[in-house]
Amino acid sequence: MAGGLRAESMHELPLMPMPAHIEQRGSALVIDGAFRIAVCGTRDAILDRVVSRFIARLAAETGLFLPMAAAPGDCSKATLAIECTRRVLPHPSLGDDESYTLEVTAASAQLKAPTSTGVLRGLATIEQLVQAGPSAFAIPAVSIEDRPRFSWRGLMLDAARHWMPVEVVERNLEAMAQVKLNVFHWHLSDDQGFRVESRVFPKLQEKGSDGHYYTQEQIREVIAFAAERGIRVIPEFDIPGHTTSWLVGYPELAAAPGPYSIERNWGVFAPVLDPTRESTFRFLDRLLGEMAGLFPDPYFHIGGDEVLDTQWKANPAIQRFMKAHGLESSGALQSYFNRRVETILTNHGKKMIGWDEILAPDLPKTALIQSWRGQDSLAAAARKGYRGLLSFGYYLDHMRPASYHYANDPLGGGVEALKPEEAARILGGEACMWTEYVSPETVDSRLWPRLAAIAERLWSPASVNGAASMYARLEPVSRKLEFAGVQHRKAQDELLARIAGERPEPALKILASAVEAAGIHERYPAHKYNSLEPLNRLVDAAVAESEWARHLTVDAKTVAANPADDAAAARLREAFALWEGTAAHLEMLGSRSFLAAETVPVAKTLSQLGTAGGTALDFIQKRESAPPGWAEAQLPLLAAADKLTAEVRVAGGGVVRVLIDALGVASAPSGTATGASARK
Amino acid sequence: MAGGLRAESMHELPLMPMPAHIEQRGSALVIDGAFRIAVCGTRDAILDRVVSRFIARLAAETGLFLPMAAAPGDCSKATLAIECTRRVLPHPSLGDDESYTLEVTAASAQLKAPTSTGVLRGLATIEQLVQAGPSAFAIPAVSIEDRPRFSWRGLMLDAARHWMPVEVVERNLEAMAQVKLNVFHWHLSDDQGFRVESRVFPKLQEKGSDGHYYTQEQIREVIAFAAERGIRVIPEFDIPGHTTSWLVGYPELAAAPGPYSIERNWGVFAPVLDPTRESTFRFLDRLLGEMAGLFPDPYFHIGGDEVLDTQWKANPAIQRFMKAHGLESSGALQSYFNRRVETILTNHGKKMIGWDEILAPDLPKTALIQSWRGQDSLAAAARKGYRGLLSFGYYLDHMRPASYHYANDPLGGGVEALKPEEAARILGGEACMWTEYVSPETVDSRLWPRLAAIAERLWSPASVNGAASMYARLEPVSRKLEFAGVQHRKAQDELLARIAGERPEPALKILASAVEAAGIHERYPAHKYNSLEPLNRLVDAAVAESEWARHLTVDAKTVAANPADDAAAARLREAFALWEGTAAHLEMLGSRSFLAAETVPVAKTLSQLGTAGGTALDFIQKRESAPPGWAEAQLPLLAAADKLTAEVRVAGGGVVRVLIDALGVASAPSGTATGASARK
């Protein structure tokens, strides 16, 4: 559905994140059957596997039969010489040197990095540079010196609310490595599920997971998989709230009597651990000890967010304990709990991470604060001497446009006023993917391609911040990510095929390409969901941002400025014609498939937008004014497009709005451009 | 691109293979969150895994959260009761009972089968029946009694000419099970590669595979994977010809002195084993003994095809041996070789299979003949008392239409005159996928969906033979197969994205949807290929049969018969408009991407067909005659569409041909309908 990128971006290389320094040289290195890759400098089995994977993907992309193993020591004769100059890192650690240099000429390419992780980052850059040129596959000649701006560039994935199988995790780790992310924060327990095998307390997974948990062998497999891609794995076990699933098997941990059952609804719930009993800490010591042995990274996340104190307040024994220990509030009790947990983690060699809520006056300075509340909260932590991460502004489940996330800087907002030594405590950030409305099937399309824009924010210089350039590069990078294995584009076709049922319905693809899905805050009130609800509707097939609408909006602006631009007008006309046809097709489909029925009113709006857009375009191209009242009469239609119907918005509304505005009638106070931006 | 199925097929259930007996009841069983599955009768861990996989796929398709494990013994309360009445089969064997009965009412469903394999077959039927209905996902109420017509229903996959990784093999085994195929014939060695780890003779894989071979652990994994899907695995080691890759590591086996290197070209080559030395048979005894231990099925394929005797004739020692042993021809020498190999296999507990060429007067009757030469050759073998399989007519790498393969019956042609006891020796057939022009990336689209039509030929009654019904069911089944994991539809988009390079080009998808790829016999002369040649061009993205052209051909016939059919005319007009636009877009792309350059003349033909089709449609709808000479002037265009360009044909030509014919000008002697059928 999407047209080509526009001319202004044609010569920008499709790199994301953009390297710290890059110079283009105008020629290109051809990749053909004679292309030879060599590895010199320090090497070992891990680095060899890294290079083999790179070669396999390059072979798959170009269709070339390339020797799978790089021969040692013959870098002088190679087309691509890969040199690790200092050391191979067996495991990634916070603060690793990830820098590299890449020199590509028409004759050869040299990738040099002090560490194997630097090599990984450089190979990811090369993969993005490979393109089919006029005469062959080629790598443009460039000189690159690159290093990350932040040392902590992560993704938090919630595997508790919807189960995420190992293959889903691994394909997303692969894609993360492609955009140089280096932390996978795995949210492994919540009210709706406990997702790791514990051998010490097996009822955690047996009673609390519906059978959906990672075995310890699988956890080790994922950690090794991530390590080979330069990605650290940080587990999160959210305590003392968000623990209903723990209490199904171990109700004695709770602050109120059981029995408990796995939570099936979304929200914040009362069940909470009892922090006044020593048995609770003995349990945590053994469990966190077991998990500390399983996860090698020194950091360990204990959540600590959204603790309701209703059970604490209703429990006389807890109230007596608080009085006896001078704990004057529920916050003080949680703070006491956190100190105890911190001691347990320290004994097991781990440093604690928690969400904003763990920040209390007596929190040890070794703790790391992950801020979902915003830069002000993060700045406050940094001023007090804590290191921190930004996640506010990076919640991908909110389904906001990439440009919104891209504009959030870990050193922006309230952080800007920090002294340099305070600012240095901001280690980076993490995108968050909470999965109330996200299934293994839809998670890729909720993560990608927008996560690549966040990856750029965390890697590239702060000065790399133009949204137009970001979008121009995001689209080709998005397609490359599918070659690496994530299915954010393919998954839509499968979902639509199921909605269509027995027969394919092209109009459904047109509709899905012109709408944008609601995020968690809008879906929650729209429809009574719980964890058993199927995520198989138009809203689940739709994405956060319509590429097609974005391109057409550019075309509409072009035509508005220059009615003689026939190419832009032709693309608009083609789109409007396709939109017009959708309603009739989907009415027929809606009578046949229950999943399609709710798309009918959405298609009606899109069809009407097609008609209105075509009419507006006629006026503009004939340089006529619209008849009095015509433009005003379209305003309810534009409003309908911006309103949620079947939990989607019609992004095509923004395109038509531009044309109507061009006719001299302000269609909305802010003159917003797309459905997406109307939500910012 | 493809439109919906036409009305005539709307009420036919999308089943393939069609069951032996089926009755529809008009209502349907709703699948919702209350759907419960139970297993009763005989059960074990394998059957439980079979059912769990079924549930997982049903959950993925419907988006429903279904309990993953079926509780034992509560079939009376289940929505779907699965009962294995006699025994669970730990391994599939030739002649296993694969029958099942399925009774679905609006209230519940009962699947009963005497064996676990029958349960598998029945579950595959249920998966095909599940569809999104007007109010929910549902299974139509049916009564089915089903059993296969032939006991041997296979696919031969050549993993030697192009390497096929384990995941490619496994996802195709999964799809095979969905259409009830039960034999995977794995062509594991040929001139271009020896693909199995031998621990006895490790230089086979070390020198003869470019590093692309299956470890013994992987082989065992694949066999177990296949067994759980009711599929037997038959290995083929092709001897005495087709053995260049063996001779790289073990030149002493050859009939002529080495050294040898892995063959990079396609064709039939001279290297051949020396059958006159005892050391050759000692080698084969140890190797085949090792492989006999690895592959549990009693059948073992030794190839035996296309033996060139140039090395035998040029070797005086071999000629002396032949004279001394009364072997009067090279054929007699091969026959001697086969008898020796047959003895070796018998000693290792195996029964020999070979291609037609092994049939000689002294071949033991235990040998099984696989016929690539045709039904006459197969009938001759059956008359002599040999059991046989048909593969002639099932060569999917020839890229012929599904209807062609579908019309080939193992008991048709020369076999028809057999006596009943002779006909009973025809066990079934095997589709063949030779991979000279097929890569791991394109193999799915070369196998599917056409293999499903062959599967039906081998399972369903001979009377199920209407091509229109077959195609109407093939399309929904094809989409279901992608849910099961094969990527025959998705792979095209990735290939096209790479051809387009940095920016997407919708015109490329339009072009690829309207053309059909050449098969092996046409590609071989068209372009000098070898095994290092990339398979990443338009022809590799194109498929054997264009669904779009098939639908439009039906529309063209409809309009020709009834010019007032506006719906059909509108679909044609939409297609012609899209075709017209392709040339301009692809000319621009061709100047930018070398992979796209060769598509330009193809797009020109398609564009001209769009113009001609639109004009013809105008004449027909206005009930006007074409001006004198107009139709004749279009004939070179139709000829160009049928001609290979860039190794594809423009299937859209068949659509326009129907319209031109309707104007009263016979455009071609046979009045063929589509590009595909022009090749039959």
Side-chain angles (χ1 to χ4, degrees):
Chain A
M1 298 301 146
L5 298 183
R6 299 301 171 252
E8 70 271 17
S9 62
M10 277 183 59
H11 298 294
E12 194 154 18
L13 293 173
L15 289 171
M16 186 162 285
M18 189 54 95
H21 301 282
I22 177 167
E23 237 173 85
Q24 280 201 60
R25 287 169 166 156
S27 60
L29 174 64
V30 164
I31 303 172
D32 58 20
F35 196 84
R36 287 296 170 268
I37 297 166
V39 182
C40 43
T42 312
R43 61 186 290 183
D44 78 344
I46 293 177
L47 187 57
D48 283 354
R49 281 202 294 277
V50 163
V51 173
S52 292
R53 280 201 308 275
F54 166 79
I55 297 174
R57 266 202 301 271
L58 190 62
E61 175 164 1
T62 59
L64 290 167
F65 184 98
L66 298 167
M68 278 300 131
D74 56 355
C75 267
S76 64
K77 285 180 290 177
T79 331
L80 168 58
I82 300 169
E83 187 176 358
C84 177
T85 58
R86 221 167 56 218
R87 68 198 190 93
V88 173
L89 304 172
H91 283 289
S93 305
L94 179 60
D96 283 343
D97 188 335
E98 300 180 78
S99 70
Y100 68 93
T101 62
L102 176 64
E103 297 291 332
V104 183
T105 68
S108 67
Q110 280 83 38
L111 170 63
K112 284 193 188 184
T115 70
S116 50
T117 308
V119 169
L120 266 173
R121 306 302 175 231
L123 291 174
T125 298
I126 295 175
E127 286 192 50
Q128 291 184 342
L129 286 171
V130 172
Q131 297 288 343
S135 62
F137 278 100
I139 305 174
V142 286
S143 173
I144 289 177
E145 276 185 49
D146 201 9
R147 55 171 38 79
R149 180 173 167 225
F150 293 105
S151 57
W152 192 300
R153 307 179 306 280
L155 167 68
M156 190 287 313
L157 178 66
D158 173 6
R161 291 187 174 80
H162 272 95
W163 165 243
M164 295 288 153
V166 168
E167 66 268 24
V168 173
V169 171
E170 290 191 345
R171 72 184 183 225
N172 280 291
L173 286 167
E174 187 73 63
M176 285 171 66
Q178 295 296 305
V179 296
K180 305 183 171 64
L181 290 169
N182 68 355
V183 177
F184 177 58
H185 166 176
W186 210 351
H187 185 81
L188 287 164
S189 75
D190 216 302
D191 296 303
Q192 293 82 5
F194 189 95
R195 303 294 183 205
V196 183
E197 173 194 16
S198 168
R199 293 175 185 169
V200 182
F201 298 110
K203 282 188 283 179
L204 285 170
Q205 73 272 12
E206 285 167 9
K207 306 266 185 182
S209 78
D210 295 303
H212 284 154
Y213 62 90
Y214 307 104
T215 63
Q216 296 202 355
E217 190 187 337
Q218 287 176 318
I219 295 278
R220 276 188 280 267
E221 174 194 321
V222 168
I223 291 169
F225 186 98
E228 286 204 1
R229 284 148 185 89
I231 298 172
R232 301 159 51 213
V233 177
I234 312 289
E236 177 183 349
F237 295 90
D238 200 349
I239 47 177
H242 288 282
T243 46
T244 309
S245 66
W246 304 44
L247 306 176
V248 186
Y250 299 93
E252 62 273 22
L253 297 172
Y260 291 88
S261 59
I262 294 174
E263 181 59 57
R264 302 296 179 195
N265 296 295
W266 306 136
V268 179
F269 303 97
V272 61
L273 302 185
D274 183 344
T276 68
R277 271 183 273 162
E278 281 308 304
S279 55
T280 301
F281 295 107
R282 282 196 300 273
F283 182 99
L284 288 173
D285 184 47
R286 292 183 65 197
L287 177 67
L288 299 183
E290 182 187 20
M291 294 303 147
L294 190 56
F295 291 90
D297 200 88
Y299 288 85
F300 199 101
H301 206 301
I302 57 108
D305 57 317
E306 300 180 328
V307 178
L308 293 188
D309 61 1
T310 41
Q311 288 194 348
W312 288 349
K313 283 188 167 155
N315 182 327
I318 291 176
Q319 291 303 313
R320 278 194 302 274
F321 179 94
M322 287 171 66
K323 200 162 285 176
H325 290 75
L327 300 167
E328 293 180 357
S329 66
S330 298
L333 181 60
Q334 190 185 348
S335 179
Y336 162 77
F337 174 81
N338 288 339
R339 285 197 310 278
R340 295 291 304 267
V341 170
E342 204 273 342
T343 304
I344 289 171
L345 287 175
T346 302
N347 290 342
H348 292 295
K350 299 295 181 187
K351 296 171 193 166
M352 186 165 98
I353 318 179
W355 300 97
D356 298 274
E357 286 94 328
I358 69 163
L359 187 62
D362 45 7
L363 182 74
K365 289 292 186 291
T366 48
L368 195 77
I369 306 297
Q370 180 166 15
S371 177
W372 64 274
R373 290 184 171 165
Q375 279 103 334
D376 290 346
S377 175
L378 188 62
R383 264 190 217 99
K384 288 177 188 147
Y386 296 97
R387 289 172 306 155
L389 305 171
L390 185 66
S391 277
F392 171 85
Y394 298 146
Y395 273 47
L396 291 166
D397 58 319
H398 288 203
M399 300 299 273
R400 290 179 162 235
S403 56
Y404 164 81
H405 300 300
Y406 193 64
N408 264 284
D409 194 304
L411 296 182
V415 177
E416 277 169 23
L418 293 180
K419 295 175 201 152
E421 70 272 21
E422 291 165 349
R425 295 187 188 121
I426 313 292
L427 302 182
E430 281 186 6
C432 289
M433 178 48 68
W434 301 104
T435 56
E436 283 92 339
Y437 299 89
V438 178
S439 71
E441 188 174 32
T442 64
V443 66
D444 294 10
S445 74
R446 272 61 191 142
L447 288 170
W448 306 102
R450 295 175 303 145
L451 180 53
I454 298 176
E456 173 156 295
R457 175 56 48 244
L458 297 173
W459 175 284
S460 304
S463 58
V464 176
N465 61 6
S469 159
M470 179 274 287
Y471 278 122
R473 292 176 288 116
L474 189 64
E475 296 187 9
V477 166
S478 174
R479 286 190 301 285
K480 278 270 168 129
L481 286 167
E482 279 223 339
F483 301 157
V486 279
Q487 308 186 351
H488 53 295
R489 299 168 65 92
K490 291 173 192 167
Q492 186 178 70
D493 291 331
E494 285 206 13
L495 279 159
L496 297 179
R498 255 180 284 151
I499 293 171
E502 211 170 298
R503 283 157 277 161
E505 179 45 86
L508 201 54
K509 179 73 178 176
I510 293 166
L511 183 67
S513 302
V515 303
E516 294 174 344
I520 176 170
H521 292 306
E522 297 176 315
R523 291 188 76 168
Y524 191 75
H527 183 89
K528 176 65 192 154
Y529 279 98
N530 61 39
S531 65
L532 307 180
E533 183 81 16
L535 297 175
N536 59 357
R537 294 157 52 217
L538 176 64
V539 58
D540 304 299
V543 295
E545 283 192 282
S546 158
E547 280 190 12
W548 197 21
R550 187 163 62 233
H551 290 172
L552 292 171
T553 301
V554 173
D555 284 330
K557 288 177 181 169
T558 304
V559 170
N562 174 17
D565 191 315
D566 288 340
R571 285 190 293 263
L572 288 167
R573 241 178 239 297
E574 188 189 349
F576 293 150
L578 291 172
W579 295 359
E580 272 195 289
T582 52
H585 286 291
L586 290 178
E587 258 176 56
M588 279 180 51
L589 182 63
S591 67
R592 195 170 87 215
S593 159
F594 78 106
L595 289 172
E598 67 172 355
T599 70
V600 176
V602 187
K604 274 189 188 148
T605 300
L606 185 64
S607 294
Q608 289 166 6
L609 285 169
T611 309
T615 308
L617 191 56
D618 285 342
F619 294 139
I620 291 174
Q621 287 199 294
K622 292 181 195 157
R623 292 170 168 75
E624 284 175 10
S625 308
W630 180 85
E632 289 76 5
Q634 312 308 315
L635 299 186
L637 174 61
L638 297 182
D642 273 354
K643 204 171 67 71
L644 279 188
T645 308
E647 298 168 54
V648 301
R649 281 192 180 74
V650 184
V655 180
V656 177
R657 188 187 302 274
V658 171
L659 297 179
I660 292 178
D661 284 351
L663 289 169
V665 190
S667 63
S670 62
T672 52
T674 71
S677 62
R679 267 183 286 153
K680 275 185 218 166
Chain B
M1 298 304 146
L5 297 183
R6 301 299 171 251
E8 71 270 17
S9 62
M10 276 184 60
H11 298 294
E12 195 155 16
L13 293 174
L15 290 171
M16 186 162 283
M18 189 55 94
H21 299 282
I22 178 167
E23 235 174 86
Q24 280 200 61
R25 288 168 166 157
S27 61
L29 173 63
V30 164
I31 303 172
D32 58 19
F35 196 84
R36 286 295 169 269
I37 296 165
V39 181
C40 42
T42 312
R43 60 187 290 181
D44 77 344
I46 293 178
L47 186 57
D48 283 355
R49 280 200 296 277
V50 163
V51 174
S52 292
R53 279 202 308 274
F54 165 79
I55 297 174
R57 265 202 302 271
L58 190 63
E61 175 164 1
T62 60
L64 290 167
F65 184 97
L66 299 167
M68 278 301 131
D74 56 355
C75 267
S76 63
K77 285 181 291 178
T79 330
L80 168 59
I82 299 169
E83 187 177 358
C84 177
T85 58
R86 220 166 58 216
R87 65 197 191 93
V88 173
L89 304 173
H91 282 289
S93 305
L94 180 59
D96 282 343
D97 188 335
E98 301 180 80
S99 69
Y100 67 93
T101 62
L102 176 65
E103 297 290 332
V104 183
T105 68
S108 67
Q110 280 84 37
L111 171 63
K112 283 192 189 185
T115 70
S116 49
T117 307
V119 169
L120 267 173
R121 305 304 173 228
L123 291 174
T125 298
I126 296 175
E127 284 193 51
Q128 292 185 343
L129 286 171
V130 173
Q131 297 288 342
S135 62
F137 278 101
I139 306 174
V142 286
S143 174
I144 290 176
E145 276 185 48
D146 201 8
R147 55 171 37 79
R149 181 173 166 225
F150 293 104
S151 58
W152 193 299
R153 307 179 306 279
L155 167 68
M156 190 287 312
L157 178 66
D158 173 6
R161 290 189 174 79
H162 271 96
W163 164 243
M164 296 288 154
V166 167
E167 65 267 24
V168 174
V169 171
E170 291 191 344
R171 72 183 182 226
N172 280 291
L173 286 166
E174 188 73 63
M176 285 170 67
Q178 295 297 305
V179 295
K180 304 183 172 64
L181 290 169
N182 69 355
V183 177
F184 178 58
H185 166 175
W186 211 351
H187 185 80
L188 288 164
S189 75
D190 216 302
D191 296 304
Q192 293 83 2
F194 189 96
R195 304 294 182 203
V196 183
E197 173 195 15
S198 168
R199 293 176 185 170
V200 181
F201 299 110
K203 282 188 284 180
L204 285 169
Q205 73 272 14
E206 284 167 10
K207 305 267 184 182
S209 78
D210 296 304
H212 284 154
Y213 62 91
Y214 307 104
T215 64
Q216 296 203 354
E217 190 186 337
Q218 288 175 318
I219 295 278
R220 276 188 281 266
E221 174 193 321
V222 168
I223 291 169
F225 186 99
E228 287 205 0
R229 284 148 185 89
I231 298 172
R232 300 159 52 212
V233 177
I234 311 289
E236 177 182 349
F237 295 90
D238 201 349
I239 47 179
H242 288 283
T243 46
T244 309
S245 65
W246 304 45
L247 306 176
V248 186
Y250 299 94
E252 62 273 21
L253 297 172
Y260 291 88
S261 59
I262 293 174
E263 182 59 58
R264 302 296 178 195
N265 295 297
W266 306 135
V268 180
F269 303 97
V272 62
L273 302 185
D274 182 344
T276 69
R277 270 183 274 163
E278 283 307 306
S279 55
T280 301
F281 295 109
R282 282 195 299 272
F283 182 100
L284 288 174
D285 184 46
R286 292 184 65 198
L287 177 68
L288 299 184
E290 183 187 19
M291 295 302 146
L294 191 56
F295 292 90
D297 200 89
Y299 288 85
F300 199 100
H301 206 302
I302 58 109
D305 56 318
E306 298 179 329
V307 178
L308 293 188
D309 60 2
T310 41
Q311 288 194 350
W312 288 348
K313 283 189 169 154
N315 182 327
I318 291 175
Q319 293 303 314
R320 278 196 301 276
F321 179 94
M322 287 171 67
K323 201 162 285 177
H325 291 74
L327 300 168
E328 292 180 358
S329 66
S330 298
L333 182 60
Q334 190 185 347
S335 182
Y336 162 78
F337 174 81
N338 289 340
R339 287 196 310 278
R340 295 290 305 266
V341 170
E342 205 270 343
T343 306
I344 289 172
L345 287 175
T346 303
N347 290 341
H348 291 296
K350 300 293 181 188
K351 297 172 193 165
M352 186 165 96
I353 317 180
W355 300 98
D356 298 274
E357 287 94 328
I358 69 163
L359 188 61
D362 45 7
L363 183 73
K365 290 289 185 292
T366 49
L368 195 78
I369 307 296
Q370 178 165 16
S371 178
W372 65 274
R373 290 185 171 164
Q375 278 104 333
D376 290 346
S377 175
L378 188 61
R383 265 189 216 99
K384 289 178 188 146
Y386 296 98
R387 289 171 309 154
L389 305 171
L390 184 67
S391 278
F392 170 86
Y394 298 147
Y395 272 47
L396 290 167
D397 58 320
H398 288 203
M399 300 298 274
R400 289 178 163 237
S403 56
Y404 165 81
H405 301 299
Y406 193 64
N408 264 284
D409 195 305
L411 296 182
V415 177
E416 278 169 23
L418 293 180
K419 298 176 198 149
E421 70 272 21
E422 291 166 349
R425 294 188 188 121
I426 313 291
L427 302 182
E430 282 188 5
C432 290
M433 179 47 69
W434 301 105
T435 56
E436 283 93 340
Y437 299 90
V438 178
S439 72
E441 189 174 30
T442 64
V443 66
D444 294 10
S445 73
R446 272 63 192 139
L447 288 170
W448 306 100
R450 295 175 302 144
L451 180 53
I454 297 176
E456 174 157 294
R457 175 57 47 246
L458 297 173
W459 174 285
S460 303
S463 58
V464 176
N465 61 6
S469 159
M470 180 273 287
Y471 277 121
R473 291 175 289 115
L474 188 64
E475 296 189 10
V477 165
S478 174
R479 287 191 300 285
K480 278 270 168 126
L481 286 166
E482 279 224 338
F483 302 156
V486 279
Q487 308 185 353
H488 53 296
R489 299 167 66 91
K490 291 173 192 166
Q492 185 179 71
D493 290 330
E494 285 207 10
L495 279 159
L496 297 179
R498 256 179 284 152
I499 293 171
E502 209 170 299
R503 281 157 279 162
E505 180 45 88
L508 201 53
K509 178 74 179 174
I510 294 166
L511 183 67
S513 302
V515 302
E516 293 175 344
I520 177 170
H521 292 306
E522 297 177 314
R523 291 188 76 167
Y524 192 74
H527 183 88
K528 176 65 192 152
Y529 278 100
N530 62 38
S531 66
L532 308 180
E533 182 82 16
L535 297 175
N536 59 358
R537 294 158 53 218
L538 176 64
V539 59
D540 303 301
V543 296
E545 283 191 283
S546 159
E547 281 191 10
W548 198 21
R550 186 162 64 232
H551 290 171
L552 292 171
T553 301
V554 174
D555 283 330
K557 288 178 181 170
T558 304
V559 170
N562 174 16
D565 192 316
D566 288 341
R571 285 191 292 264
L572 288 167
R573 239 177 241 297
E574 187 189 349
F576 294 150
L578 290 171
W579 295 359
E580 273 195 287
T582 53
H585 285 292
L586 289 178
E587 258 174 57
M588 279 180 52
L589 181 63
S591 67
R592 197 170 85 215
S593 159
F594 78 107
L595 289 172
E598 67 172 356
T599 69
V600 176
V602 187
K604 273 189 191 148
T605 300
L606 185 65
S607 294
Q608 289 166 5
L609 286 169
T611 310
T615 308
L617 192 56
D618 284 344
F619 293 139
I620 291 173
Q621 287 199 293
K622 292 181 194 156
R623 293 172 167 74
E624 284 176 8
S625 308
W630 181 86
E632 290 75 5
Q634 311 307 315
L635 299 187
L637 175 61
L638 297 183
D642 273 354
K643 204 172 67 68
L644 279 188
T645 309
E647 298 168 54
V648 301
R649 281 192 180 74
V650 184
V655 180
V656 176
R657 187 187 304 273
V658 172
L659 297 178
I660 292 179
D661 283 350
L663 289 168
V665 190
S667 62
S670 62
T672 51
T674 71
S677 60
R679 267 181 286 155
K680 274 186 222 167

